[in-house]
Amino acid sequence: MDDSAESAKAAGRAPTQGPPPALEIRGLVFAYPDGTRVLEGIDLVIRQGESVAVIGPNGAGKSTLLLHLNGILRGSGSVTVFGLPVEPKNLREVRRRVGVVFQDPEDQLFLTSVAQDVAFGPSNMGLDRDDIAERVAGALAAVGMEGSGERSSHHLSFGQKKRIAVATVLSMRPDVLVLDEPTSNLDPKSRRRLIDILSGLPVTKIVVTHDMTVAYELCERTVILDQGRIVADGLTE
């Protein structure tokens, strides 16, 4: 028990509860329909403001774990987001608060212009036109793509597509940003640019990566998965 909790107990009052964790996972087990078990009892707590890398060999369950964080997949056990259970009745709010950027930007770019892609999420929230325009401009500025709204996403370089994919999530103003292999297939210049952009974003970050430089530069904490289990959890350094 910390000093504040001890003081509260001595004074005869209940200890003050701190803010809920950004994400809390308890006893998460998941198997695909063919019976393949991928997650084996995951317990993980990520505090608000943390940046956490998730690493491990291929097939360890990293991407499967990621897809549970906003309800794309559902296993047994519990997942909560800022104290809110990830279950069907809460999915709209959970997906507003937890934004997922997939490894392949093409999975998130499917409309005719950059602005339309970035506006897709806010439009589905029912925001008015001015609010949507403000969010689009802010998200594009955050990834260094100002002035590109009228361009076709499919005519951009791969590095630019990665940044626009991040912008499509930032326009939702999430509290948690989840990134699956954000620097994969990038040239050194684009990789450096994206790392610098991500390091400046003031949100809780969870980064699934094989890139140890990304883990070291972006995340003070690293979780290692192997065969569906957490086998290490501690300071990245």
Side-chain angles (χ1 to χ4, degrees):
M1 185 178 294
D2 62 25
D3 290 343
S4 61
E6 288 284 8
S7 298
K9 183 178 179 182
R13 65 181 187 274
T16 301
Q17 294 294 318
L23 289 161
E24 184 170 7
I25 301 169
R26 297 297 181 192
L28 182 61
V29 175
F30 180 79
Y32 284 104
D34 65 0
T36 302
R37 291 173 68 90
V38 185
L39 300 177
E40 299 277 4
I42 298 291
D43 291 309
L44 180 64
V45 176
I46 296 176
R47 301 294 175 187
Q48 297 183 34
E50 277 195 291
S51 292
V52 180
V54 179
I55 67 175
N58 290 334
K62 302 183 301 296
S63 294
T64 300
L65 175 62
L66 177 156
L67 294 175
H68 281 79
L69 302 183
N70 70 352
I72 295 173
L73 293 178
R74 297 281 310 281
S76 60
S78 68
V79 180
T80 60
V81 174
F82 294 90
L84 191 67
V86 177
E87 53 190 37
K89 68 179 182 179
N90 297 327
L91 286 184
R92 184 180 181 89
E93 177 64 9
V94 166
R95 289 172 180 170
R96 184 194 69 77
R97 303 196 74 169
V98 179
V100 178
V101 182
F102 298 109
Q103 180 173 350
D104 185 351
E106 298 287 357
D107 291 339
Q108 288 172 271
L109 306 177
F110 47 84
L111 296 174
T112 57
S113 73
V114 165
Q116 288 177 322
D117 277 321
V118 179
F120 181 79
S123 297
N124 282 291
M125 292 170 62
L127 300 179
D128 64 40
R129 184 175 299 179
D130 289 343
D131 284 343
I132 293 170
E134 179 184 351
R135 287 184 178 228
V136 169
L140 290 176
V143 299
M145 293 293 290
E146 305 95 322
S148 63
E150 299 308 311
R151 298 178 65 183
S152 169
S153 299
H154 303 291
H155 294 162
L156 301 175
S157 70
F158 190 76
Q160 290 172 326
K161 288 179 180 179
K162 284 268 194 178
R163 286 151 59 192
I164 296 300
V166 174
T168 66
V169 173
L170 294 181
S171 66
M172 297 288 286
R173 297 182 179 170
D175 298 303
V176 179
L177 186 62
V178 181
L179 302 117
D180 190 5
E181 300 288 356
T183 58
S184 65
N185 301 316
L186 291 180
D187 61 72
K189 182 178 179 181
S190 296
R191 177 177 170 276
R192 179 74 262 162
R193 182 75 181 273
L194 185 60
I195 291 172
D196 289 344
I197 288 167
L198 295 175
S199 66
L201 296 177
V203 295
T204 303
K205 290 183 280 285
I206 301 167
V207 184
V208 172
T209 186
H210 284 98
D211 188 332
M212 295 301 99
T213 300
V214 169
Y216 184 77
E217 292 195 30
L218 290 182
C219 304
E220 68 272 8
R221 176 184 170 196
T222 292
V223 172
I224 304 177
L225 260 65
D226 190 22
Q227 297 183 353
R229 294 181 171 89
I230 293 175
V231 296
D233 181 354
L235 295 177
T236 300
E237 187 167 348

